[in-house]
Every structure is written in C-alpha cells, then in structure tokens.
C-alpha cells in the first residue's frame, strides 16, 4: 500500500524539521506525496492541492476519481504522521482509511482539469510500453536502441541491443 512510503517520507520530514528547529528555522508543515513513475507531473498540481488543503484547514487533500483516491498525488499535513503510524501498527494498509480518520479535502479530478486538462499527473509509467506510448503522445523522440524488441502479451517490451 501507499502508507509505508508516506510514513517513511514523514519520518524524514520530522528529522528535517528537528534539524531546522536546532538552527532556528521554521518547520515544513505540508508535503506532497508522489510516486516516482509520473514524469508528466507539473508544479501546478501540488500547488493547487496544497491551496485546497489550506483553504479548508484540513490535514490532507487528495484527488478522487469516482471512488478511487489518489494517495500518491496528494498533499498531507505533518499532523497526519501519528495517524499513519497508528494505522501501520494495526497493519491497516489501505490509504483510504487515513482519509476517513483525518480532516480530508476530497477533490474530484474533474476540478483539476483547469491545471492539467488531460490529467497527465495521474499517468503512471509501469511498463516499457507505457513509456513508449507516453513518448509518442507527448511528441517526443524514442531514444535510439531502447526497447527495440518485440511486444509481449503483457504489454512489456524486451530491451534492444
């Protein structure tokens, strides 16, 4: 689930904040969580999500598509860490559980189309085929010698020589 990376991220944020406090610097209050396979993420997405969180004085703000929450395209207050840790201790791995326990702004993804018309921020690249489709869609050249092999039933491609 998405909670383990969130917990690790907030533990790192707490360590950073302790170092900042020792230097008399202000703490970081909010964090944007993302996966590493979303190359089309633009700066307006986390900024807009954070604005919505602040406007509602909430603990979390998460994009929602139908009933699916996008926990790795969301903004969290550091106040969520104790709840995340408690959920982890209880082996509760569903990120949605966190959103039910803290003050959460649920943002329909349709409301984010003004900053990301195609919702590219939510495009994950999990296979080489996903990568190649995204290159083509974005009008980018395919690097020479990459994924020059044949397509397989699972949509994966073999690396070329």
């Amino acid at each position: 689930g998405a909670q383990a990376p969130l917990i690790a991220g907030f533990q790192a944020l707490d360590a950073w904040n302790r170092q900042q406090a020792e230097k008399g610097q202000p703490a970081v209050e909010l964090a944007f969580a993302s996966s590493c396979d979303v190359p089309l993420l633009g700066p307006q997405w986390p900024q807009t999500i954070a604005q919505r969180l602040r406007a509602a004085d909430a603990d979390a703000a998460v994009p929602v598509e139908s009933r699916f929450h996008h926990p790795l395209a969301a903004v969290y207050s550091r106040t969520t860490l104790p709840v995340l840790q408690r959920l982890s201790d209880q082996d509760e791995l569903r990120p949605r559980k966190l959103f039910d326990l803290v003050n959460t702004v649920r943002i329909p993804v349709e409301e984010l189309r003004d900053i990301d018309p195609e919702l590219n921020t939510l495009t994950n690249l999990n296979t080489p085929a996903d990568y190649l489709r995204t290159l083509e869609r974005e009008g980018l050249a395919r690097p020479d010698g990459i994924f020059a092999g044949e397509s397989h039933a699972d949509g994966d491609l073999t690396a070329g020589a």
Side-chain angles (χ1 to χ4, degrees):
Q3 285 189 2
L6 290 177
I7 291 169
F10 274 103
Q11 289 171 337
L13 181 63
D14 273 356
W16 170 262
N17 281 340
R18 283 192 299 277
Q19 288 178 350
Q20 292 298 95
E22 290 171 6
K23 298 175 189 176
Q25 299 293 319
V28 174
E29 297 296 327
L30 301 179
F32 175 72
S34 180
S35 60
C36 63
D37 60 352
V38 289
L40 303 177
L41 170 66
Q44 288 183 318
W45 186 279
Q47 292 167 351
T48 299
I49 303 290
Q51 289 168 352
R52 296 285 297 270
L53 180 144
R54 285 187 184 110
D57 196 26
D59 300 307
V62 61
V64 178
E65 194 168 9
S66 191
R67 290 182 41 177
F68 181 76
H69 292 62
H70 290 278
L72 293 179
V75 173
Y76 301 85
S77 166
R78 67 187 185 131
T79 61
T80 61
L81 180 59
V83 179
L84 279 169
Q85 288 178 324
R86 187 174 68 242
L87 290 171
S88 178
D89 292 345
Q90 297 168 352
D91 289 326
E92 176 56 66
L93 302 178
R94 295 173 295 168
R96 184 171 178 168
K97 186 67 174 176
L98 171 69
F99 303 129
D100 292 338
L101 294 174
V102 300
N103 181 12
T104 300
V105 177
R106 289 172 172 83
I107 306 167
V109 294
E110 292 304 315
E111 293 180 13
L112 297 167
R113 285 192 184 273
D114 60 330
I115 60 163
D116 189 352
E118 302 300 318
L119 299 175
N120 287 329
T121 296
L122 301 177
T123 301
N124 293 68
L125 304 185
N126 296 314
T127 67
D130 291 342
Y131 171 69
L132 294 175
R133 277 192 297 275
T134 300
L135 285 177
E136 183 177 327
R137 186 181 74 227
E138 296 299 311
L140 300 171
R142 178 183 186 157
D144 290 335
I146 297 202
F147 309 125
E150 296 179 18
S151 181
H152 294 279
D154 65 1
D156 205 357
L157 302 174
T158 59

